[in-house]
Amino acid sequence: MPDEHGYCSLGTAVEAMQAAIRSAKTVIVQLNAAMPRTLGESFVHVSQIDYAVEVEVRPTSCRPARSTPWRPDRRVRRGDGPDGATLQMGIGAIPNAVALFLRDKHDLGIHTELMTDPVVDSWRRCRDGAGKERNRGKIVATFMMGTEKLYRFAHDNPMLEMRACDFTNDTHVIRSFRRMTAINSAIAID
């Protein structure tokens, strides 16, 4: 919903929405009181909106993938990953399992396309991201998918900066982090 200054938040997904809004001939939005209000490049002024429909629908909730005894992610062990690393974490059981082992690390930063519940848990343990060269002290993400816990954490949180994918996925930006660490899964490798 618009704030007192007339700005609406894009909520859980910034991705390439600003570029789409700038190039659209007609902008139609859902004003959703149940959507978390996120900060960063997440704002659209009511003057940019042609038509709006008010709804109240909670964002889709999905639980993080769980490890099972037979899956390879159960073999993930504490690594020697550096304190002060900047993390990009993908979706799935393997990144979630790795996140469990980050509790002994310090000053971890988050710069990721997708923000999930394990990212919130890692941030709460390793808080300040002092090792990040950019956006120090901020979680930077372009979209999120998770449980109500994630959406409550994201709502109006000044530590979370939602950015467009042309920033989060820009190789120049990613190369600027000296200790960038990506944690992802692969379904198949050719």
Side-chain angles (χ1 to χ4, degrees):
M1 301 301 285
D3 65 12
E4 64 272 15
H5 306 289
Y7 286 94
C8 303
S9 170
L10 292 170
T12 60
V14 170
E15 300 164 308
M17 290 304 299
Q18 296 289 6
I21 290 166
R22 282 191 302 272
S23 64
K25 292 179 182 170
T26 304
V27 176
I28 304 169
V29 302
Q30 284 187 337
L31 299 176
N32 188 352
M35 182 64 63
R37 181 177 186 76
T38 58
L39 309 177
E41 291 179 329
S42 183
F43 294 109
V44 177
H45 194 267
V46 292
S47 64
Q48 296 173 274
I49 299 170
D50 297 301
Y51 300 98
V53 177
E54 286 190 31
V55 299
E56 189 157 340
V57 179
R58 299 293 316 155
T60 301
S61 183
C62 64
R63 296 223 167 272
R66 299 272 185 231
S67 296
T68 60
W70 55 268
R71 291 180 57 173
D73 53 31
R74 295 294 274 167
R75 289 180 266 175
V76 173
R77 296 179 292 145
R78 286 183 207 274
D80 293 326
D83 287 335
T86 299
L87 303 176
Q88 177 276 321
M89 296 177 70
I91 192 168
I94 290 174
N96 293 351
V98 171
L100 295 173
F101 296 112
L102 297 175
R103 67 189 70 164
D104 297 333
K105 300 301 174 190
H106 304 282
D107 303 329
L108 293 177
I110 307 288
H111 180 97
T112 191
E113 181 180 41
L114 169 63
M115 185 171 161
T116 60
D117 286 75
V119 172
V120 173
D121 295 336
S122 298
W123 179 258
R124 286 185 171 147
R125 287 192 302 268
C126 311
R127 189 139 302 244
D128 70 358
K132 283 178 77 176
E133 287 77 14
R134 290 175 174 242
N135 311 99
R136 188 168 282 139
K138 303 271 186 185
I139 295 172
V140 175
T142 193
F143 71 101
M144 63 184 69
M145 184 171 43
T147 65
E148 184 63 30
K149 176 178 89 171
L150 171 66
Y151 303 133
R152 278 193 313 273
F153 175 84
H155 181 72
D156 228 3
N157 187 340
M159 289 188 294
L160 173 61
E161 188 171 311
M162 298 293 285
R163 299 289 300 264
C165 58
D166 64 355
F167 179 80
T168 58
N169 298 20
D170 183 337
T171 58
H172 176 73
V173 172
I174 293 167
R175 286 191 318 263
S176 72
F177 298 112
R178 290 179 293 123
R179 291 177 296 241
M180 187 71 185
T181 303
I183 305 165
N184 289 288
S185 305
I187 303 298
I189 298 174
D190 187 347

